[in-house]
Amino acid sequence: MENRLTKLFREKRENLLNVYFTAGFPELESTGVVLKTLEAAGADIVEIGMPYSDPLADGPTIQQSNTVALRNGMSIKKLFSQIEAVRPELEVPIVLMGYLNPVLQFGIERFCEEAARVGVDGFILPDMPLHEYEEEYQPLFLKYNLSVIFLVTPQTSEDRIRKIDALTNSFIYLVSSASTTGNKVGGDAKQVQYFQRIQDLNLKNPKLIGFGISDRSSFQLACKYAEGAIIGSAFIKIIQQPENLEENIRGFIREVKAPEAVSA
Amino acid sequence: MKYSVDERGYYGNYGGAYIPEMLYPNVEELRQKYLEIIYEPAFQEELQGLLRDYVGRPTPLYWAKRLSEKFNAKIYLKREDLAHTGAHKINNTVGQILLAKRLGKTRIIAETGAGQHGVATATVCALAGLECVVYMGKIDTERQKPNVARMQLLGATVVPVTSGSQTLKDATNEAIRDWISNPEDTHYIIGSVVGPHPYPDMVARFQSVISEEVKQQLLEKEGRANPDYVVACVGGGSNAAGAFYHFLDEPEVKLVAVEAAGHGVDTGFSAATSVLGTLGIIHGSKTLLMQTDDGQIVEPHSISAGLDYPGIGPMHAHLWETGRAKFYSITDNEAMEGVVMLSRLEGIIPAIESAHALAALHRMELKPTDVVVLNLSGRGDKDLATIINYLDNIEKPHGEQTN
């Protein structure tokens, strides 16, 4: 398998910044602008959320962005056309994150086919059972050169982590703590111990830490124990206002990636 | 048993466990242990003792003579309304609290719509001395104030849910989010035969005491264990699951599941999932679900908060698909007429949920020799405000359709 994600990880395996945003937020046509600005500002991966009425694993900030995006008229079909329109100008790997139900209604094969056609590189479908992926969807995802990304939490057993590592062909999404999205990573002893434990497993895939990464210090902490990190809720807060969208995005990414703290 | 759950957690095409990784260890632990725990002799002894002395089981099987005369058939009511806390919900919460203790959990969470499951959960938490947090849609906390007060009196914390539509669906989402954030000390007591496997099967087993008793009681009264019909209302479907359970493999027993049509199935204000639903995933289970073409979950409507749910349990989806159960949809108005009918004929005020099952008697073609068991899942005290409001307006013309 070869796609923009696998290529990226061949070339770079540290301080990787993956930024999540919800498609169609804050306005229906924001998707393309946010994508382009993120690549220009230096995001290594972009994760686009497909809005859902019942996002179980998400905290209030991302839930709210889902509600707004759906009200704006966002859909998977619309998202594919938005990505298609800007893809020729972009190099950044694109990962789609969403819940299984809308994908099943779209049709899983059609979903893979369209995703591949418009230049998507992988999926995160948190409520897709591992065994169902193995038994039903894996050949399809491979056929269309699409990576699949599974979550690992502090409670995931080592056996299961090994199994996930074996099934993965891009990166592992390391959930920072028992939480929905949007809680802050504290870096307490228990958390550091967990990151260390995973690091010591010497998995074949790179790991990106997500849930609670919100700023430069939490990003740097995550990068000490993993190849990179994912910022979601904190970024959604930055793009809540349609005004000065590009400027706000550039400022936020610059600050997160700065090697030294930037004074305001 | 053809209609029971298979090893992988499916009822035919329905069921499974579609959950994020954060829930996997807890659900997996339950899956591995639930059968072993609940059929352990010491567990059964404790459970049976509580069902008898605390819940007040067996609940009577009552021959409703005047109701029978009206429909020209022999109709029995299974009096779950007489169980402690006023509905069948306690059968499940008593079982799950004992299970939670054996799993070493110290904190209990639950979702509730009308508040009946919340009250039943708060009750058993008080009994077991465990912390209890109940998630309830903000709109439901306002329209079911007495139940909020009951839960608080029982020592539970009631959290009003302001996300989404602020009703049962969102209360369930919020309870699941709580479980994600508190995976180690917390057990989630789901109130219906919904959610990821093993919940639908586990809840059905705890509710199956209903049909177990019916079989014995009917044998004593009629000289036969099997009625011609078993009738029950279905929201998520826990009382129906319990009433059907021991009759699933008795083909001569016709199973009748009654859903809430709301204002009418074609009005956009309905909860008749078997009519309006398509295959989808809700709260971790693949089942029939009311959704848009894009797979977004649709907000249902029913005058009865207990039936106001956009899905049905996977077991019922399977009974629907195979034709094992016949499904009827009953409107808000028909259900309210059912409330009045049973109150006047038998001196029993039913829950509006159960009144949907009563109203379905009009649709069934009953013969004088037919023996019907109707599961009277709950009592109507909790619905008095809604009932009074309905009776006040009954004389006035209004725009709602009655069929």
Side-chain angles (χ1 to χ4, degrees), chain B residues 13-14 42 112 146 148 171 213 232 259 269 272 278 300 317 345 348 350 360 362 403:
Chain B
N13 297 318
Y14 307 100
T112 198
V148 174
E213 288 173 7
E259 291 182 306
F269 294 89
T278 52
L345 281 179
I348 299 170
H362 290 286
N403 53 26

Side-chain angles (χ1 to χ4, degrees), chain B residues 129-199:
Chain B
L130 296 184
E131 183 189 349
C132 180
V133 179
V134 179
Y135 290 89
M136 187 170 187
K138 188 162 180 292
I139 289 175
D140 290 335
T141 61
E142 283 156 11
R143 59 183 179 187
Q144 306 283 343
K145 272 189 186 148
N147 271 343
V148 174
R150 288 168 83 192
M151 287 184 268
Q152 287 167 339
L153 178 61
L154 291 160
T157 304
V158 180
V159 180
V161 172
T162 54
S163 60
S165 57
Q166 311 188 9
T167 57
L168 177 58
K169 166 174 87 74
D170 308 284
T172 308
N173 291 342
E174 220 50 57
I176 291 174
R177 288 181 186 121
D178 180 311
W179 210 18
I180 285 174
S181 303
N182 299 286
E184 283 170 359
D185 63 347
T186 300
H187 175 68
Y188 177 18
I189 300 190
I190 295 184
S192 192
V193 286
V194 302
H197 176 67
Y199 276 101

Side-chain angles (χ1 to χ4, degrees), chain B residues 298-314:
Chain B
V298 164
E299 207 37 54
H301 167 84
S302 168
I303 193 168
S304 135
L307 303 182
D308 204 352
Y309 187 70
I312 52 171

